[in-house]
Amino acid sequence: MGKVIAHSLFTDFDVDLFKSGKHYRLYKKFGSHITTVNGVEGTYFAVWAPSANQVSVVGDFNFWNDGEFKLNVRWDSSGIWEGFIPKIGKGNLYKYKIHSNNSGIVTEKADPYSRRNEHPPSTASVIWDDDYTWKDKKWMKNRKKNNALDAPYSVYEVHLGSWRRKMEEDRSLSYFELADELVSYVKEMNFTHVELMPIMEYPYDPSWGYQLTGYYAPTCRFGYPEEFKLLVDKLHQNGIGLILDWVPSHFPSDDHGLGFFDGSHLYEHPDRKKGYHPDWKSLIFNYERNEVRSFLISNAIYWLEQYHADGLRVDAVASMLFLDYSREDGEWEPNEYGGKENLAAISFLKELNEEVYKSFPDVQTIAEESTAFPMVSQPTFMGGLGFGMKWMMGWMHDTLKYFGKDPMFRSHHQNDITFSLAYAFTENFMLPLSHDEVVYGKNSILGRMPGDEWQRFANLRLLYGYMFTHPGTKLLFMGSEFGQYEEWDFQGSLDWNLLEFDPHKKTKAFYKDLNKFYKTNPALFEKGFSNEGFEWISLDDSQNSVISFIRKGNKEEENLVVVCNFTPAVIDSYKIGLPTENKLKEVFNSDKKKYGGSGITNSKLIKAEKDSWNGKPYSAEIKLSPLGITIFELK
């Protein structure tokens, strides 16, 4: 094994782009790359450490000795240290030993661009490459229509470590096992997409993956990088898209991570008012620094390009947008215009979305954003942030609040269930019932429902039916589809044994059918972000706690009439207004016995009469099932 040989993957143009924040494929340059120089195989290393006066590669190949393999600093003031070390390669462990210009500080860091890391609590990077051969050509060729804004989105949110476990071995499933079990389950349940809580490497299990240290490495908890590619590939081969949770908002201060990387505030903002997150005790990226912007945008592109992801759900966007987020007076400073907006973060998000959609027009970015910040999901050329969709947090809070009330009192809270339609088309909204709603004492979704057991399950089916007929795309956290009783436990497994019992088994059958109904009825998604796709019949019948509306697609003959009865009372004859003289045919009912309901349905065609009602020229009388949603075709 020889000394470091001068070698570079960077052109002058690469360096200029990096320094200006416009290099969006940095993973092809930085990190460790197995290559051959002068006929000798080895590994090229490159790391950004502008405040260093010495950077060495230490690893299992040299007993972690400092100073033996010193990288060379580039002459161009880029702060890039690089070099080729012969005869080391795939599987070797390594870190960077960085001697800082800052008062003799020495740090030992994992590679920010490593493709694989050691299993926590170990912290070294692993030299890695893979030659995985993708088999998802058909999906990739056609995915534009599957990921389009006028396509159905029913997303299954999954935490891989606790979805299902091998109880006898007390371990999570591997990527290889998930490629079989998770994929077949999601396909059986008719979901269109899977969203994975962060799978980038993270040191601390209770963070659920939201405190990242290995931004370019799928966590080794479940297997090798190529095995994660197999999981993605299998999803695609079965017609299922993949959305990855992505966290550009903050990162932990672990010694081996990005914090104080070269003895200076390199990745985090040096001003604590902008660089420290008080809620999560973590560090905030410096969006004002060009090289940091390039690091993050390159990372987003990496997962879309190298792992064929169909979308990125961007975590904690609200915390990025506002300088006063979770801060008291005196703990933040206004921007140059005297406002509270973080102008650098806003600029970064716009640049991110522009590059993503330029390079991958067939994917979506989705903002988890909880404020009224305007035009989050509008294009940047119109003044928006450029996301494809935004989580509808207001709908989620109001809906769960309403469903948590005893039906006896719902008549006094009609506005809670209808208010979301007042702003439903201001953004491209995704309706989330996510992991955040089933932890920290909030109870499971089923556990929030009032009444006896029958009523709780009927309420749950009604909630899901209302969710799927409300404008917007859908997201549900794992386990909620069969009525998980307990709150989510990241250390355990979903309670699959509940499916031995009828209420849970029938709830699962209901959700499976609901997904299929949603996917096969264009009126529920073709105009999901436009007020042209929705028309109220009645929103103010608070006395009966009933709402009714029409969902519309591109073809009038495919329109649907939806009626929700939020009380356990059966209404044998309920009058609704209709715009045309049609016959109503019931096509979906949450109260069917096969779903655990009472079997109150409309079995015959119902003819509309020329009798104005609800401000419409025609009307029909229908039967309403208890705590049920009834959906009709207009024949």
Side-chain angles (χ1 to χ4, degrees):
M1 190 181 298
K3 296 297 182 182
V4 173
I5 297 172
H7 184 69
S8 182
L9 295 183
F10 286 89
T11 65
D12 291 345
F13 185 54
D14 285 324
V15 173
D16 288 344
L17 287 176
F18 174 54
K19 291 166 70 174
S20 63
K22 301 300 180 183
H23 201 310
Y24 304 134
R25 305 293 189 282
L26 290 177
Y27 49 88
K28 295 182 178 181
K29 308 295 177 177
F30 281 112
S32 58
H33 298 268
I34 300 170
T35 189
T36 301
V37 174
N38 299 329
V40 179
E41 290 188 358
T43 300
Y44 164 81
F45 296 89
V47 64
W48 180 48
S51 292
N53 58 40
Q54 178 183 305
V55 178
S56 298
V57 181
V58 299
D60 59 359
F61 41 83
N62 72 340
F63 302 101
W64 305 92
N65 287 331
D66 185 16
E68 181 178 358
F69 294 120
K70 298 179 184 178
L71 298 179
N72 305 306
V73 66
R74 289 183 63 91
W75 55 269
D76 49 21
S77 302
S78 61
I80 297 172
W81 296 74
E82 60 183 350
F84 173 81
I85 303 177
K87 299 181 182 179
I88 65 172
K90 185 173 180 177
N92 280 124
L93 306 178
Y94 72 100
K95 285 185 178 181
Y96 296 117
K97 195 89 167 188
I98 303 171
H99 294 254
S100 176
N101 289 323
N102 185 3
S103 303
I105 293 172
V106 179
T107 61
E108 189 171 290
K109 296 291 187 176
D111 188 342
Y113 291 87
S114 64
R115 306 288 181 100
R116 185 182 163 211
N117 291 341
E118 274 192 295
H119 195 298
S122 298
T123 57
S125 300
V126 184
I127 299 172
W128 203 255
D129 67 359
D130 68 73
D131 56 357
Y132 184 81
T133 302
W134 289 89
K135 300 179 179 65
D136 63 347
K137 184 177 180 180
K138 181 179 178 182
W139 170 270
M140 296 298 285
K141 181 180 178 181
N142 298 314
R143 72 173 179 172
K144 186 170 185 176
K145 66 180 178 63
N146 296 319
N147 293 331
L149 291 176
D150 60 355
Y153 263 77
S154 177
V155 182
Y156 190 51
E157 187 190 23
V158 176
H159 177 264
L160 290 182
S162 57
W163 178 71
R164 182 177 288 163
R165 295 177 64 89
K166 294 288 184 185
M167 304 308 292
E168 64 279 4
E169 302 170 43
D170 191 28
R171 67 169 178 85
S172 302
L173 299 184
S174 66
Y175 291 132
F176 187 80
E177 291 165 326
L178 289 160
D180 177 23
E181 296 187 36
L182 176 63
V183 173
S184 60
Y185 180 77
V186 171
K187 186 176 183 180
E188 174 204 347
M189 291 299 294
N190 293 312
F191 287 98
T192 65
H193 293 73
V194 169
E195 179 179 317
L196 298 182
M197 293 168 68
I199 50 84
M200 302 83 183
E201 195 61 81
Y202 56 97
Y204 187 50
D205 285 340
S207 79
W208 311 335
Y210 289 98
Q211 300 263 8
L212 305 181
T213 51
Y215 270 77
Y216 287 83
T219 179
C220 64
R221 288 168 173 81
F222 315 117
Y224 297 120
E226 53 266 41
E227 292 174 331
F228 179 61
K229 289 182 178 179
L230 173 68
L231 170 57
V232 180
D233 207 349
K234 289 290 188 181
L235 285 166
H236 284 174
Q237 290 174 47
N238 284 275
I240 302 161
L242 174 70
I243 300 167
L244 295 177
D245 271 14
W246 185 59
V247 191
S249 48
H250 65 116
F251 59 93
S253 57
D254 294 61
D255 288 343
H256 69 286
L258 297 176
F260 212 57
F261 190 80
D262 61 353
S264 72
H265 298 292
L266 191 61
Y267 288 91
E268 69 272 23
H269 199 287
D271 182 349
R272 191 173 174 86
K273 293 179 178 180
K274 294 182 180 179
Y276 179 74
H277 201 297
D279 281 356
W280 303 316
K281 309 294 187 292
S282 55
L283 304 175
I284 299 172
F285 283 104
N286 185 358
Y287 308 110
E288 299 168 17
R289 191 158 192 167
N290 289 337
E291 297 91 340
V292 173
R293 293 164 73 104
S294 275
F295 169 82
L296 288 170
I297 296 175
S298 291
N299 186 243
I301 297 297
Y302 172 79
W303 292 102
L304 297 168
E305 179 184 277
Q306 299 291 308
Y307 285 89
H308 291 198
D310 298 288
L312 298 172
R313 176 268 197 183
V314 182
D315 183 64
V317 171
S319 74
M320 300 171 67
L321 295 177
F322 295 103
L323 297 166
D324 65 342
Y325 187 90
S326 286
R327 298 180 190 275
E328 303 294 333
D329 290 343
E331 296 178 345
W332 65 282
E333 293 179 359
N335 63 34
E336 59 190 280
Y337 303 108
K340 62 182 181 179
E341 295 80 14
N342 188 330
L343 301 179
I346 291 169
S347 168
F348 161 73
L349 289 170
K350 289 181 177 183
E351 187 177 351
L352 162 73
N353 284 314
E354 286 171 356
E355 182 57 30
V356 166
Y357 283 110
K358 174 185 172 184
S359 299
F360 302 94
D362 51 358
V363 306
Q364 296 294 342
T365 58
I366 305 165
E368 188 227 359
E369 204 285 313
S370 55
T371 74
F373 191 91
M375 299 198 297
V376 171
S377 58
Q378 296 299 314
T380 56
F381 68 81
M382 295 176 62
L385 289 183
F387 286 94
M389 293 181 239
K390 168 183 170 173
W391 275 21
M392 197 176 191
M393 307 298 279
W395 171 88
M396 179 273 296
H397 286 296
D398 288 347
T399 299
L400 290 178
K401 178 182 175 184
Y402 180 84
F403 270 89
K405 297 185 184 301
D406 189 304
M408 182 183 300
F409 305 113
R410 286 177 179 171
S411 62
H412 303 293
H413 301 276
Q414 186 87 349
N415 188 57
D416 286 347
I417 205 66
T418 61
F419 178 67
S420 58
L421 270 304
Y423 63 95
F425 307 111
T426 58
E427 300 275 5
N428 298 339
F429 280 120
M430 173 175 278
L431 279 55
L433 293 174
S434 74
H435 66 275
D436 280 326
E437 308 319 313
V438 294
V439 289
Y440 298 144
K442 295 178 183 176
N443 216 327
S444 65
I445 302 297
L446 176 64
R448 293 167 177 253
M449 301 297 108
D452 59 25
E453 182 179 77
W454 187 92
Q455 290 184 351
R456 292 171 74 193
F457 280 97
N459 268 304
L460 190 68
R461 296 191 302 272
L462 175 56
L463 166 61
Y464 293 155
Y466 166 67
M467 173 185 182
F468 271 76
T469 54
H470 188 290
T473 54
K474 330 297 174 186
L475 177 139
L476 187 76
F477 185 59
M478 62 183 198
S480 302
E481 76 278 8
F482 61 78
Q484 174 89 6
Y485 262 127
E486 301 297 330
E487 283 193 350
W488 171 52
D489 175 12
F490 74 92
Q491 295 175 301
S493 172
L494 297 182
D495 295 328
W496 295 101
N497 61 300
L498 292 175
L499 291 173
E500 299 171 14
F501 304 99
D502 255 12
H504 299 276
K505 187 189 304 181
K506 290 178 177 179
T507 298
K508 176 174 175 272
F510 168 77
Y511 207 93
K512 175 181 176 180
D513 286 358
L514 183 62
N515 262 338
K516 183 177 181 180
F517 183 81
Y518 168 65
K519 291 197 300 181
T520 54
N521 280 273
L524 296 177
F525 56 81
E526 284 182 338
K527 297 181 178 180
F529 303 127
S530 168
N531 57 12
E532 295 178 356
F534 181 90
E535 179 183 343
W536 278 115
I537 295 174
S538 173
L539 76 162
D540 55 3
D541 184 6
S542 58
Q543 182 177 352
N544 289 302
S545 296
V546 172
I547 62 172
S548 52
F549 51 87
I550 301 172
R551 290 302 311 276
K552 303 175 181 181
N554 294 330
K555 298 179 181 178
E556 186 176 347
E557 62 269 22
E558 294 178 341
N559 291 353
L560 298 173
V561 171
V562 181
V563 189
C564 298
N565 176 15
F566 295 108
T567 76
V570 177
I571 304 179
D572 289 317
S573 181
Y574 186 82
K575 195 172 183 178
I576 59 171
L578 295 171
T580 54
E581 189 178 7
N582 295 93
K583 291 182 179 178
L584 297 180
K585 179 185 177 183
E586 183 181 288
V587 289
F588 196 87
N589 193 317
S590 64
D591 194 46
K592 285 185 175 180
K593 288 187 176 180
K594 72 172 185 174
Y595 303 142
S598 59
I600 305 295
T601 62
N602 297 268
S603 57
K604 298 179 181 179
L605 288 178
I606 301 169
K607 185 180 179 181
E609 303 291 342
K610 189 168 178 54
D611 179 15
S612 62
W613 196 257
N614 299 132
K616 303 188 185 307
Y618 297 89
S619 61
E621 295 194 9
I622 59 176
K623 185 183 295 183
L624 294 189
S625 50
L627 292 171
I629 180 170
T630 311
I631 307 175
F632 299 92
E633 282 181 350
L634 287 165
K635 301 294 288 185

